[in-house]
Amino acid sequence: MQDSGASIIIERLVAHGVGVVAGMPGGANLPIYDALLDSGIAHVLVRHEQAAGFIAQGMARVGGRAGVCLATSGPGATNLVTALADARMDSVPLVAITGQVPTALIGTDAFQEVDTCAMVRPLVKHAEQVRRVEDVAAAIDRAFAIAEGGRPGPVLVDVPKDVQQAAAGTARAGQGAAPGAPDDADAAPAPTDAALAQVVDELSRARRPLLLVGGGAASSGASAALRKLVRRQQLPSACTLMGLGVLDPADPAHLGMLGMHGAPCTNLVLDEADLLLAVGLRFDDRATGKLAEFCPRARTVHVDIDARELGKLRAAQLPIRADARAFAERLLERAPSAARPDWSTRVAQLRAEHPLLLPAGRDPRCAIHLLGEAAEALAPETVVTTDVGQHQMWVAQLIPFERPRQLLTSGGLGTMGFGLPAAIGAALAGAPRVLCVTGDGSLLLNAQELSTLAELGLDVTILLLDNRHLGLVHQQQSLFYRGRLSASRLTQPTDFVALARSMGVDGYSLEGAARPFDALRDALARPGPRLIHAPVRVQDQVLPMVPPGGGNREMLRLRDAGARVSRVQP
Ligand SMILES: Cc1ncc(C[n+]2csc(CCOP(=O)(O)OP(=O)(O)O)c2C)c(N)n1
């Protein structure tokens, strides 16, 4: 039998080592689904294509290779858009393959026709439509090369149905670049010797240097080298949300997450630093606060694989285009040991005087206390996914992530609905245990995927902190809109245990449990798929909080909120 465009797509997926794809079939991609049947590639049938994008992201965020999702033309493709934008913001490698109406009908407003490439082009690293069957193999190979090369990101390949059906002949593995495709030939650039010498010089002259790491340090595999570097150079360190897990949370010189919800000491140490060694991050506004007031005393060395990030927001005295791992390993070869007793003492002092404070007590209706308990009970191999809201920030504050790729969270786009499908993807990628921490608002955006989870029978536990509100919106309205609550209450209660059970997922509620903390530990120890419903009060706030637009020194703290404080984070 002669190969078709569809069978070539599948053959190239196999060649790229793809074992699982997520998606939904429809008229315009049925030839691909037909070819999939005989391929040995497992398919996850989602209940909404957005979830296919997030499942693929979950696989990619855990495994590092591009995740693959499939959708039909028109509504299938439009439903993928949010997951593509999300992958772009967090630099996650993703290959989306969409069906398209037959070539002869393109541009005629045919049934389920959308100009998919035009729609996604501003959001993806690359998008192309394949017009000839001879070009299919090269387009798929290019998609993987671009998605995974350089700074990772999403790529979309749009394949009209007649191209999927066409017989291929012999000219299959065409090569060459498509017009407009980014050139990632230099996928993992190493820093020059001159740049490294300058960094060593900057470090030797600095009195108060600080290492700041982001998602690029995590995804490039720079963690081991950076951990050695901070010890050898006695460098205090901090990270962005996407950089959690890169550095050792037990290291007393590691100050954890900076920015809008970082510990006060973290933002204050950054404020005093005279040298910022920033590796694999993009100076996002949630991290920097008011840019003009961010690290005002520090010279900046900025290392990023993407040249467009250098100087985009923060001017660096020393901008270095390099892969974070290559940079860290080469720097380690050259950087001597250093002792910085005065700076270490000052950091320890700020840490002791301005720790992260949490509300007093042990109240089973307090999401913070429940998450603290969950953090202690967590098996070390657990991968944690979150949705977006207060619970997301509490997870970032409370769980000491010990390795990169252990926290999967929608950092840049902040997409509610991410957590459950990302957890499914993480489990599919082989994470031994997966915990999805979510809120009642977020879970409802992709709750239909409970059914997908049940079908797959994966070891995923969902911890649902149900405050009957869009909690973070409620918090912002309480703090910055004089308590005028507009559309932040979910007035119609949902019976989440019944919802989970109706879709085949075991559900359990802490409501009415005699010993809720013990019940939570017990529930977390059981295998999934499982939903643990925790009813919580809405009054707790994520603090500290830098008011939007404010400088990172202007933190609203728990004490300012008049709360009784008993627990102090180390
Ligand atoms: C798709 C999407 N729509 C809207 C928002 C704006 N938003 C941010 S947090 C939030 C509330 C989240 O509520 P919930 O999931 O219950 O979490 P909680 O804050 O209560 O922990 C909203 C609506 C968003 N981030 N994503």
Side-chain angles (χ1 to χ4, degrees), residues 198-211 233-236 272-277 297-301 338-343:
Q198 279 178 285
V199 179
V200 171
D201 188 48
E202 290 281 352
L203 282 169
S204 72
R205 279 189 291 140
R207 311 275 310 259
R208 298 184 301 280
L210 184 131
L211 173 70
Q233 274 276 317
Q234 283 204 1
L235 279 177
E272 293 190 9
D274 68 356
L275 177 68
L276 186 62
L277 177 54
R297 293 158 188 83
R299 288 172 63 79
T300 302
V301 177
R340 310 176 191 278
D342 293 351
W343 182 220

PDB file of all heavy atoms in Angstrom, residues 198-211 233-236 272-277 297-301 338-343:
ATOM      1  N   GLN A 198      34.580  37.836  31.952  1.00  0.00           N
ATOM      2  CA  GLN A 198      33.941  39.042  32.503  1.00  0.00           C
ATOM      3  C   GLN A 198      33.032  38.708  33.687  1.00  0.00           C
ATOM      4  O   GLN A 198      32.954  39.451  34.656  1.00  0.00           O
ATOM      5  CB  GLN A 198      33.139  39.750  31.414  1.00  0.00           C
ATOM      6  CG  GLN A 198      33.988  40.626  30.506  1.00  0.00           C
ATOM      7  CD  GLN A 198      33.134  41.259  29.428  1.00  0.00           C
ATOM      8  OE1 GLN A 198      32.749  40.582  28.482  1.00  0.00           O
ATOM      9  NE2 GLN A 198      32.821  42.532  29.590  1.00  0.00           N
ATOM     10  N   VAL A 199      32.334  37.576  33.602  1.00  0.00           N
ATOM     11  CA  VAL A 199      31.461  37.183  34.720  1.00  0.00           C
ATOM     12  C   VAL A 199      32.312  36.898  35.957  1.00  0.00           C
ATOM     13  O   VAL A 199      31.971  37.329  37.075  1.00  0.00           O
ATOM     14  CB  VAL A 199      30.604  35.947  34.354  1.00  0.00           C
ATOM     15  CG1 VAL A 199      29.732  35.538  35.540  1.00  0.00           C
ATOM     16  CG2 VAL A 199      29.735  36.231  33.141  1.00  0.00           C
ATOM     17  N   VAL A 200      33.404  36.179  35.773  1.00  0.00           N
ATOM     18  CA  VAL A 200      34.289  35.882  36.912  1.00  0.00           C
ATOM     19  C   VAL A 200      34.781  37.195  37.521  1.00  0.00           C
ATOM     20  O   VAL A 200      34.814  37.359  38.757  1.00  0.00           O
ATOM     21  CB  VAL A 200      35.471  34.990  36.459  1.00  0.00           C
ATOM     22  CG1 VAL A 200      36.509  34.860  37.580  1.00  0.00           C
ATOM     23  CG2 VAL A 200      34.965  33.622  36.028  1.00  0.00           C
ATOM     24  N   ASP A 201      35.092  38.135  36.674  1.00  0.00           N
ATOM     25  CA  ASP A 201      35.557  39.436  37.138  1.00  0.00           C
ATOM     26  C   ASP A 201      34.454  40.167  37.917  1.00  0.00           C
ATOM     27  O   ASP A 201      34.694  40.716  39.002  1.00  0.00           O
ATOM     28  CB  ASP A 201      36.000  40.241  35.906  1.00  0.00           C
ATOM     29  CG  ASP A 201      36.666  41.532  36.299  1.00  0.00           C
ATOM     30  OD1 ASP A 201      37.554  41.473  37.186  1.00  0.00           O
ATOM     31  OD2 ASP A 201      36.292  42.594  35.763  1.00  0.00           O
ATOM     32  N   GLU A 202      33.242  40.163  37.363  1.00  0.00           N
ATOM     33  CA  GLU A 202      32.112  40.811  38.050  1.00  0.00           C
ATOM     34  C   GLU A 202      31.915  40.177  39.432  1.00  0.00           C
ATOM     35  O   GLU A 202      31.706  40.885  40.428  1.00  0.00           O
ATOM     36  CB  GLU A 202      30.810  40.654  37.237  1.00  0.00           C
ATOM     37  CG  GLU A 202      30.751  41.455  35.948  1.00  0.00           C
ATOM     38  CD  GLU A 202      30.417  42.927  36.173  1.00  0.00           C
ATOM     39  OE1 GLU A 202      30.088  43.308  37.297  1.00  0.00           O
ATOM     40  OE2 GLU A 202      30.506  43.710  35.196  1.00  0.00           O
ATOM     41  N   LEU A 203      31.996  38.858  39.493  1.00  0.00           N
ATOM     42  CA  LEU A 203      31.773  38.163  40.773  1.00  0.00           C
ATOM     43  C   LEU A 203      32.880  38.507  41.767  1.00  0.00           C
ATOM     44  O   LEU A 203      32.613  38.647  42.967  1.00  0.00           O
ATOM     45  CB  LEU A 203      31.725  36.646  40.552  1.00  0.00           C
ATOM     46  CG  LEU A 203      30.417  36.094  39.973  1.00  0.00           C
ATOM     47  CD1 LEU A 203      30.580  34.631  39.558  1.00  0.00           C
ATOM     48  CD2 LEU A 203      29.265  36.214  40.976  1.00  0.00           C
ATOM     49  N   SER A 204      34.082  38.656  41.279  1.00  0.00           N
ATOM     50  CA  SER A 204      35.181  38.925  42.215  1.00  0.00           C
ATOM     51  C   SER A 204      35.100  40.359  42.748  1.00  0.00           C
ATOM     52  O   SER A 204      35.539  40.640  43.863  1.00  0.00           O
ATOM     53  CB  SER A 204      36.526  38.661  41.539  1.00  0.00           C
ATOM     54  OG  SER A 204      36.788  39.681  40.602  1.00  0.00           O
ATOM     55  N   ARG A 205      34.540  41.254  41.941  1.00  0.00           N
ATOM     56  CA  ARG A 205      34.468  42.643  42.401  1.00  0.00           C
ATOM     57  C   ARG A 205      33.226  42.940  43.241  1.00  0.00           C
ATOM     58  O   ARG A 205      33.179  43.902  43.990  1.00  0.00           O
ATOM     59  CB  ARG A 205      34.526  43.590  41.196  1.00  0.00           C
ATOM     60  CG  ARG A 205      35.975  43.791  40.740  1.00  0.00           C
ATOM     61  CD  ARG A 205      36.096  44.861  39.708  1.00  0.00           C
ATOM     62  NE  ARG A 205      35.491  44.445  38.451  1.00  0.00           N
ATOM     63  CZ  ARG A 205      34.780  45.229  37.670  1.00  0.00           C
ATOM     64  NH1 ARG A 205      34.536  46.465  38.016  1.00  0.00           N
ATOM     65  NH2 ARG A 205      34.295  44.779  36.522  1.00  0.00           N
ATOM     66  N   ALA A 206      32.211  42.091  43.105  1.00  0.00           N
ATOM     67  CA  ALA A 206      30.945  42.378  43.799  1.00  0.00           C
ATOM     68  C   ALA A 206      31.084  42.140  45.301  1.00  0.00           C
ATOM     69  O   ALA A 206      31.765  41.222  45.738  1.00  0.00           O
ATOM     70  CB  ALA A 206      29.848  41.498  43.225  1.00  0.00           C
ATOM     71  N   ARG A 207      30.414  42.986  46.061  1.00  0.00           N
ATOM     72  CA  ARG A 207      30.381  42.782  47.524  1.00  0.00           C
ATOM     73  C   ARG A 207      29.114  42.038  47.920  1.00  0.00           C
ATOM     74  O   ARG A 207      29.082  41.329  48.902  1.00  0.00           O
ATOM     75  CB  ARG A 207      30.382  44.150  48.232  1.00  0.00           C
ATOM     76  CG  ARG A 207      31.441  45.129  47.755  1.00  0.00           C
ATOM     77  CD  ARG A 207      32.769  44.921  48.439  1.00  0.00           C
ATOM     78  NE  ARG A 207      32.659  44.856  49.900  1.00  0.00           N
ATOM     79  CZ  ARG A 207      32.950  45.856  50.697  1.00  0.00           C
ATOM     80  NH1 ARG A 207      33.354  47.005  50.204  1.00  0.00           N
ATOM     81  NH2 ARG A 207      32.879  45.707  52.005  1.00  0.00           N
ATOM     82  N   ARG A 208      28.039  42.274  47.157  1.00  0.00           N
ATOM     83  CA  ARG A 208      26.746  41.691  47.539  1.00  0.00           C
ATOM     84  C   ARG A 208      26.067  41.061  46.301  1.00  0.00           C
ATOM     85  O   ARG A 208      24.995  41.499  45.881  1.00  0.00           O
ATOM     86  CB  ARG A 208      25.853  42.780  48.150  1.00  0.00           C
ATOM     87  CG  ARG A 208      26.436  43.386  49.414  1.00  0.00           C
ATOM     88  CD  ARG A 208      25.506  44.396  50.069  1.00  0.00           C
ATOM     89  NE  ARG A 208      25.182  45.496  49.169  1.00  0.00           N
ATOM     90  CZ  ARG A 208      25.977  46.537  48.935  1.00  0.00           C
ATOM     91  NH1 ARG A 208      27.137  46.641  49.549  1.00  0.00           N
ATOM     92  NH2 ARG A 208      25.617  47.481  48.095  1.00  0.00           N
ATOM     93  N   PRO A 209      26.673  40.013  45.756  1.00  0.00           N
ATOM     94  CA  PRO A 209      26.101  39.398  44.549  1.00  0.00           C
ATOM     95  C   PRO A 209      24.955  38.444  44.880  1.00  0.00           C
ATOM     96  O   PRO A 209      24.878  37.919  45.995  1.00  0.00           O
ATOM     97  CB  PRO A 209      27.290  38.613  43.980  1.00  0.00           C
ATOM     98  CG  PRO A 209      28.098  38.251  45.191  1.00  0.00           C
ATOM     99  CD  PRO A 209      27.927  39.374  46.186  1.00  0.00           C
ATOM    100  N   LEU A 210      24.100  38.249  43.917  1.00  0.00           N
ATOM    101  CA  LEU A 210      22.978  37.323  44.116  1.00  0.00           C
ATOM    102  C   LEU A 210      22.672  36.597  42.806  1.00  0.00           C
ATOM    103  O   LEU A 210      22.666  37.223  41.738  1.00  0.00           O
ATOM    104  CB  LEU A 210      21.743  38.096  44.588  1.00  0.00           C
ATOM    105  CG  LEU A 210      20.538  37.209  44.919  1.00  0.00           C
ATOM    106  CD1 LEU A 210      19.960  37.574  46.278  1.00  0.00           C
ATOM    107  CD2 LEU A 210      19.455  37.317  43.865  1.00  0.00           C
ATOM    108  N   LEU A 211      22.438  35.295  42.895  1.00  0.00           N
ATOM    109  CA  LEU A 211      22.046  34.507  41.722  1.00  0.00           C
ATOM    110  C   LEU A 211      20.525  34.423  41.683  1.00  0.00           C
ATOM    111  O   LEU A 211      19.885  34.062  42.683  1.00  0.00           O
ATOM    112  CB  LEU A 211      22.629  33.092  41.814  1.00  0.00           C
ATOM    113  CG  LEU A 211      22.151  32.127  40.731  1.00  0.00           C
ATOM    114  CD1 LEU A 211      22.711  32.493  39.363  1.00  0.00           C
ATOM    115  CD2 LEU A 211      22.530  30.675  41.086  1.00  0.00           C
ATOM    116  N   GLN A 233      30.830  29.814  45.471  1.00  0.00           N
ATOM    117  CA  GLN A 233      30.964  31.271  45.457  1.00  0.00           C
ATOM    118  C   GLN A 233      30.250  31.939  46.628  1.00  0.00           C
ATOM    119  O   GLN A 233      30.190  33.156  46.716  1.00  0.00           O
ATOM    120  CB  GLN A 233      30.382  31.813  44.151  1.00  0.00           C
ATOM    121  CG  GLN A 233      31.368  31.818  43.005  1.00  0.00           C
ATOM    122  CD  GLN A 233      32.246  33.060  43.046  1.00  0.00           C
ATOM    123  OE1 GLN A 233      31.775  34.160  43.288  1.00  0.00           O
ATOM    124  NE2 GLN A 233      33.539  32.885  42.833  1.00  0.00           N
ATOM    125  N   GLN A 234      29.696  31.110  47.529  1.00  0.00           N
ATOM    126  CA  GLN A 234      28.888  31.645  48.642  1.00  0.00           C
ATOM    127  C   GLN A 234      27.910  32.697  48.145  1.00  0.00           C
ATOM    128  O   GLN A 234      27.868  33.831  48.633  1.00  0.00           O
ATOM    129  CB  GLN A 234      29.779  32.221  49.724  1.00  0.00           C
ATOM    130  CG  GLN A 234      30.409  31.138  50.576  1.00  0.00           C
ATOM    131  CD  GLN A 234      30.796  31.627  51.958  1.00  0.00           C
ATOM    132  OE1 GLN A 234      30.589  32.781  52.327  1.00  0.00           O
ATOM    133  NE2 GLN A 234      31.356  30.742  52.747  1.00  0.00           N
ATOM    134  N   LEU A 235      27.123  32.283  47.157  1.00  0.00           N
ATOM    135  CA  LEU A 235      26.165  33.210  46.549  1.00  0.00           C
ATOM    136  C   LEU A 235      24.795  33.015  47.158  1.00  0.00           C
ATOM    137  O   LEU A 235      24.235  31.916  47.062  1.00  0.00           O
ATOM    138  CB  LEU A 235      26.041  32.908  45.051  1.00  0.00           C
ATOM    139  CG  LEU A 235      27.066  33.441  44.075  1.00  0.00           C
ATOM    140  CD1 LEU A 235      26.742  32.938  42.684  1.00  0.00           C
ATOM    141  CD2 LEU A 235      27.071  34.955  44.122  1.00  0.00           C
ATOM    142  N   PRO A 236      24.213  34.032  47.757  1.00  0.00           N
ATOM    143  CA  PRO A 236      22.801  33.922  48.086  1.00  0.00           C
ATOM    144  C   PRO A 236      22.007  33.810  46.780  1.00  0.00           C
ATOM    145  O   PRO A 236      22.477  34.253  45.723  1.00  0.00           O
ATOM    146  CB  PRO A 236      22.462  35.217  48.820  1.00  0.00           C
ATOM    147  CG  PRO A 236      23.702  35.991  48.881  1.00  0.00           C
ATOM    148  CD  PRO A 236      24.770  35.321  48.097  1.00  0.00           C
ATOM    149  N   GLU A 272      19.114  45.038  48.166  1.00  0.00           N
ATOM    150  CA  GLU A 272      20.454  45.456  48.623  1.00  0.00           C
ATOM    151  C   GLU A 272      21.578  44.932  47.743  1.00  0.00           C
ATOM    152  O   GLU A 272      22.726  45.359  47.880  1.00  0.00           O
ATOM    153  CB  GLU A 272      20.676  44.982  50.062  1.00  0.00           C
ATOM    154  CG  GLU A 272      19.770  45.688  51.055  1.00  0.00           C
ATOM    155  CD  GLU A 272      20.143  45.414  52.509  1.00  0.00           C
ATOM    156  OE1 GLU A 272      21.209  44.809  52.759  1.00  0.00           O
ATOM    157  OE2 GLU A 272      19.364  45.818  53.386  1.00  0.00           O
ATOM    158  N   ALA A 273      21.265  43.978  46.854  1.00  0.00           N
ATOM    159  CA  ALA A 273      22.325  43.336  46.063  1.00  0.00           C
ATOM    160  C   ALA A 273      23.035  44.362  45.182  1.00  0.00           C
ATOM    161  O   ALA A 273      22.425  45.324  44.703  1.00  0.00           O
ATOM    162  CB  ALA A 273      21.715  42.237  45.199  1.00  0.00           C
ATOM    163  N   ASP A 274      24.345  44.130  44.968  1.00  0.00           N
ATOM    164  CA  ASP A 274      25.074  45.024  44.052  1.00  0.00           C
ATOM    165  C   ASP A 274      25.427  44.323  42.736  1.00  0.00           C
ATOM    166  O   ASP A 274      25.964  44.948  41.826  1.00  0.00           O
ATOM    167  CB  ASP A 274      26.315  45.624  44.723  1.00  0.00           C
ATOM    168  CG  ASP A 274      27.403  44.597  45.009  1.00  0.00           C
ATOM    169  OD1 ASP A 274      27.168  43.404  44.766  1.00  0.00           O
ATOM    170  OD2 ASP A 274      28.485  45.004  45.492  1.00  0.00           O
ATOM    171  N   LEU A 275      25.158  43.016  42.667  1.00  0.00           N
ATOM    172  CA  LEU A 275      25.332  42.301  41.391  1.00  0.00           C
ATOM    173  C   LEU A 275      24.242  41.239  41.267  1.00  0.00           C
ATOM    174  O   LEU A 275      24.043  40.425  42.175  1.00  0.00           O
ATOM    175  CB  LEU A 275      26.707  41.621  41.312  1.00  0.00           C
ATOM    176  CG  LEU A 275      26.908  40.790  40.036  1.00  0.00           C
ATOM    177  CD1 LEU A 275      26.989  41.685  38.801  1.00  0.00           C
ATOM    178  CD2 LEU A 275      28.173  39.915  40.135  1.00  0.00           C
ATOM    179  N   LEU A 276      23.541  41.291  40.147  1.00  0.00           N
ATOM    180  CA  LEU A 276      22.487  40.312  39.892  1.00  0.00           C
ATOM    181  C   LEU A 276      22.967  39.416  38.758  1.00  0.00           C
ATOM    182  O   LEU A 276      23.219  39.892  37.649  1.00  0.00           O
ATOM    183  CB  LEU A 276      21.221  41.076  39.470  1.00  0.00           C
ATOM    184  CG  LEU A 276      19.941  40.285  39.290  1.00  0.00           C
ATOM    185  CD1 LEU A 276      19.544  39.635  40.600  1.00  0.00           C
ATOM    186  CD2 LEU A 276      18.833  41.229  38.818  1.00  0.00           C
ATOM    187  N   LEU A 277      23.127  38.128  39.098  1.00  0.00           N
ATOM    188  CA  LEU A 277      23.464  37.158  38.051  1.00  0.00           C
ATOM    189  C   LEU A 277      22.166  36.441  37.714  1.00  0.00           C
ATOM    190  O   LEU A 277      21.690  35.577  38.463  1.00  0.00           O
ATOM    191  CB  LEU A 277      24.529  36.180  38.577  1.00  0.00           C
ATOM    192  CG  LEU A 277      24.960  35.041  37.658  1.00  0.00           C
ATOM    193  CD1 LEU A 277      25.410  35.552  36.302  1.00  0.00           C
ATOM    194  CD2 LEU A 277      26.086  34.232  38.316  1.00  0.00           C
ATOM    195  N   ARG A 297      20.347  48.800  43.081  1.00  0.00           N
ATOM    196  CA  ARG A 297      21.793  48.993  43.303  1.00  0.00           C
ATOM    197  C   ARG A 297      22.646  48.008  42.515  1.00  0.00           C
ATOM    198  O   ARG A 297      23.869  48.006  42.646  1.00  0.00           O
ATOM    199  CB  ARG A 297      22.100  48.821  44.787  1.00  0.00           C
ATOM    200  CG  ARG A 297      21.486  49.912  45.657  1.00  0.00           C
ATOM    201  CD  ARG A 297      21.318  49.491  47.108  1.00  0.00           C
ATOM    202  NE  ARG A 297      20.551  50.505  47.810  1.00  0.00           N
ATOM    203  CZ  ARG A 297      19.228  50.578  47.811  1.00  0.00           C
ATOM    204  NH1 ARG A 297      18.506  49.682  47.162  1.00  0.00           N
ATOM    205  NH2 ARG A 297      18.599  51.542  48.452  1.00  0.00           N
ATOM    206  N   ALA A 298      22.000  47.160  41.726  1.00  0.00           N
ATOM    207  CA  ALA A 298      22.758  46.031  41.165  1.00  0.00           C
ATOM    208  C   ALA A 298      23.171  46.232  39.710  1.00  0.00           C
ATOM    209  O   ALA A 298      22.360  46.632  38.878  1.00  0.00           O
ATOM    210  CB  ALA A 298      21.918  44.756  41.289  1.00  0.00           C
ATOM    211  N   ARG A 299      24.449  45.930  39.442  1.00  0.00           N
ATOM    212  CA  ARG A 299      24.847  45.691  38.060  1.00  0.00           C
ATOM    213  C   ARG A 299      24.217  44.366  37.657  1.00  0.00           C
ATOM    214  O   ARG A 299      23.916  43.533  38.510  1.00  0.00           O
ATOM    215  CB  ARG A 299      26.372  45.590  37.962  1.00  0.00           C
ATOM    216  CG  ARG A 299      27.091  46.909  38.137  1.00  0.00           C
ATOM    217  CD  ARG A 299      28.600  46.704  38.221  1.00  0.00           C
ATOM    218  NE  ARG A 299      29.177  46.140  37.006  1.00  0.00           N
ATOM    219  CZ  ARG A 299      29.433  46.844  35.899  1.00  0.00           C
ATOM    220  NH1 ARG A 299      29.127  48.135  35.867  1.00  0.00           N
ATOM    221  NH2 ARG A 299      29.980  46.277  34.851  1.00  0.00           N
ATOM    222  N   THR A 300      24.013  44.171  36.357  1.00  0.00           N
ATOM    223  CA  THR A 300      23.278  42.970  35.941  1.00  0.00           C
ATOM    224  C   THR A 300      24.039  42.183  34.889  1.00  0.00           C
ATOM    225  O   THR A 300      24.481  42.745  33.883  1.00  0.00           O
ATOM    226  CB  THR A 300      21.895  43.380  35.373  1.00  0.00           C
ATOM    227  OG1 THR A 300      21.198  44.097  36.385  1.00  0.00           O
ATOM    228  CG2 THR A 300      21.083  42.155  34.976  1.00  0.00           C
ATOM    229  N   VAL A 301      24.172  40.890  35.178  1.00  0.00           N
ATOM    230  CA  VAL A 301      24.614  39.933  34.157  1.00  0.00           C
ATOM    231  C   VAL A 301      23.366  39.135  33.797  1.00  0.00           C
ATOM    232  O   VAL A 301      22.760  38.514  34.671  1.00  0.00           O
ATOM    233  CB  VAL A 301      25.702  38.976  34.705  1.00  0.00           C
ATOM    234  CG1 VAL A 301      26.080  37.947  33.637  1.00  0.00           C
ATOM    235  CG2 VAL A 301      26.903  39.752  35.194  1.00  0.00           C
ATOM    236  N   ALA A 338      34.939  31.545  46.859  1.00  0.00           N
ATOM    237  CA  ALA A 338      34.883  32.896  47.414  1.00  0.00           C
ATOM    238  C   ALA A 338      34.214  32.833  48.783  1.00  0.00           C
ATOM    239  O   ALA A 338      33.365  31.980  49.029  1.00  0.00           O
ATOM    240  CB  ALA A 338      34.095  33.806  46.483  1.00  0.00           C
ATOM    241  N   ALA A 339      34.639  33.721  49.659  1.00  0.00           N
ATOM    242  CA  ALA A 339      33.979  33.839  50.962  1.00  0.00           C
ATOM    243  C   ALA A 339      33.432  35.257  51.063  1.00  0.00           C
ATOM    244  O   ALA A 339      34.109  36.214  50.690  1.00  0.00           O
ATOM    245  CB  ALA A 339      34.973  33.573  52.080  1.00  0.00           C
ATOM    246  N   ARG A 340      32.215  35.360  51.528  1.00  0.00           N
ATOM    247  CA  ARG A 340      31.585  36.688  51.625  1.00  0.00           C
ATOM    248  C   ARG A 340      30.914  36.797  52.996  1.00  0.00           C
ATOM    249  O   ARG A 340      29.687  36.860  53.086  1.00  0.00           O
ATOM    250  CB  ARG A 340      30.548  36.851  50.512  1.00  0.00           C
ATOM    251  CG  ARG A 340      31.081  36.502  49.118  1.00  0.00           C
ATOM    252  CD  ARG A 340      29.990  36.592  48.082  1.00  0.00           C
ATOM    253  NE  ARG A 340      30.417  36.023  46.803  1.00  0.00           N
ATOM    254  CZ  ARG A 340      31.142  36.651  45.896  1.00  0.00           C
ATOM    255  NH1 ARG A 340      31.531  37.892  46.111  1.00  0.00           N
ATOM    256  NH2 ARG A 340      31.486  36.055  44.769  1.00  0.00           N
ATOM    257  N   PRO A 341      31.731  36.801  54.048  1.00  0.00           N
ATOM    258  CA  PRO A 341      31.145  36.712  55.390  1.00  0.00           C
ATOM    259  C   PRO A 341      30.185  37.852  55.716  1.00  0.00           C
ATOM    260  O   PRO A 341      29.120  37.606  56.305  1.00  0.00           O
ATOM    261  CB  PRO A 341      32.369  36.717  56.322  1.00  0.00           C
ATOM    262  CG  PRO A 341      33.528  37.160  55.484  1.00  0.00           C
ATOM    263  CD  PRO A 341      33.203  36.847  54.073  1.00  0.00           C
ATOM    264  N   ASP A 342      30.503  39.076  55.309  1.00  0.00           N
ATOM    265  CA  ASP A 342      29.625  40.205  55.664  1.00  0.00           C
ATOM    266  C   ASP A 342      28.268  40.073  54.980  1.00  0.00           C
ATOM    267  O   ASP A 342      27.219  40.280  55.590  1.00  0.00           O
ATOM    268  CB  ASP A 342      30.264  41.534  55.245  1.00  0.00           C
ATOM    269  CG  ASP A 342      31.507  41.829  56.054  1.00  0.00           C
ATOM    270  OD1 ASP A 342      31.744  41.086  57.034  1.00  0.00           O
ATOM    271  OD2 ASP A 342      32.244  42.764  55.702  1.00  0.00           O
ATOM    272  N   TRP A 343      28.303  39.738  53.723  1.00  0.00           N
ATOM    273  CA  TRP A 343      27.068  39.620  52.949  1.00  0.00           C
ATOM    274  C   TRP A 343      26.241  38.427  53.458  1.00  0.00           C
ATOM    275  O   TRP A 343      25.035  38.521  53.630  1.00  0.00           O
ATOM    276  CB  TRP A 343      27.422  39.484  51.470  1.00  0.00           C
ATOM    277  CG  TRP A 343      26.319  39.391  50.459  1.00  0.00           C
ATOM    278  CD1 TRP A 343      26.324  38.577  49.378  1.00  0.00           C
ATOM    279  CD2 TRP A 343      25.083  40.127  50.370  1.00  0.00           C
ATOM    280  NE1 TRP A 343      25.188  38.747  48.626  1.00  0.00           N
ATOM    281  CE2 TRP A 343      24.406  39.698  49.219  1.00  0.00           C
ATOM    282  CE3 TRP A 343      24.478  41.098  51.172  1.00  0.00           C
ATOM    283  CZ2 TRP A 343      23.160  40.198  48.828  1.00  0.00           C
ATOM    284  CZ3 TRP A 343      23.223  41.604  50.792  1.00  0.00           C
ATOM    285  CH2 TRP A 343      22.595  41.157  49.634  1.00  0.00           C
TER     286      TRP A 343
END
